[in-house]
Amino acid sequence: MPKLLLTVPEAAKALAISRSKLYELLASGAIRSVRIDGARRIPLNALNDYVNTLMEEAA
């Protein structure tokens, strides 16, 4: 079964960006995330949504 939620380092690696840049995107609301017992997790579909938004803006 594929992962539904990624850690911050996993999500940053998937997007090929730094952890600090990912935290900036999370803080701005560009990428959605959830907290589970204090741990930040990023839904896989939130990364797909973000990339799709970038693609639409570039077109």
Side-chain angles (χ1 to χ4, degrees):
M1 174 180 245
K3 288 185 176 185
L4 298 177
L5 298 172
L6 301 176
T7 64
V8 169
E10 290 171 336
K13 185 175 180 180
L15 292 174
I17 60 175
S18 68
R19 283 181 39 205
S20 60
K21 180 61 180 177
L22 180 58
Y23 277 117
E24 288 176 25
L25 293 169
L26 292 170
S28 72
I31 297 177
R32 295 173 290 121
S33 66
V34 296
R35 288 182 80 63
I36 300 174
D37 292 334
R40 172 102 30 218
R41 295 292 182 259
I42 297 94
L44 192 54
N45 66 341
L47 297 183
N48 289 325
D49 292 347
Y50 175 68
V51 171
N52 288 336
T53 299
L54 292 177
M55 297 296 290
E56 289 172 5
E57 290 174 358

